[in-house]
Amino acid sequence: MHKGEEDLDSLAEIVASRSSMSKADCYGVIIGLTEVIAEALAAGRIVRIDSLGSFQITVQGTPADTLEELGKANIKSAKIKFNPSKRMKIKLKGLTYKRMR
């Protein structure tokens, strides 16, 4: 169960409060970062942000018996896979949980 969510506006505000940048500057950086990540993924590259983790595109499809039969018609879906960094895993490992009714 989650306790709400953070959106772009709140993330920009939090980052601004922890840096010398304005909320508007942080907003612009976050938007720019998401665009650059999308472009890199579309180009087939893995995007690695050391303290966060890595993103990459994975595809699922139908098998083919020969290389000649294999093509884009075999691809049924593409997804973005996220692998958290070791640092992120360590942070999440320290979480505590309690039952909520």
Side-chain angles (χ1 to χ4, degrees):
M1 178 170 269
H2 61 81
K3 294 182 178 181
E5 64 182 44
E6 298 291 346
D7 61 9
L8 177 60
D9 193 56
S10 64
L11 290 174
E13 193 169 309
I14 292 166
V15 172
S17 73
R18 297 178 184 184
S19 71
S20 60
M21 295 172 56
S22 71
K23 180 179 171 182
D25 290 336
C26 292
Y27 190 95
V29 168
I30 295 168
I31 291 293
L33 180 63
T34 59
E35 290 174 0
V36 171
I37 289 171
E39 291 167 7
L41 292 173
R45 294 192 298 272
I46 294 172
V47 176
R48 188 173 321 278
I49 301 172
D50 293 335
S51 59
L52 180 62
S54 63
F55 300 85
Q56 69 185 73
I57 297 287
T58 61
V59 293
Q60 295 177 337
T62 56
D65 293 327
T66 66
L67 283 176
E68 290 76 27
E69 294 174 346
L70 188 62
K72 56 184 174 178
N74 298 87
I75 298 173
K76 299 302 175 197
S77 68
K79 296 180 181 182
I80 298 173
K81 179 181 174 189
F82 171 71
N83 290 316
S85 67
K86 287 181 184 179
R87 181 176 168 187
M88 182 67 70
K89 286 180 186 179
I90 290 168
K91 282 188 174 193
L92 296 178
K93 199 173 191 179
L95 293 178
T96 58
Y97 304 95
K98 70 177 184 176
R99 184 179 177 139
M100 298 180 72
R101 293 184 187 237

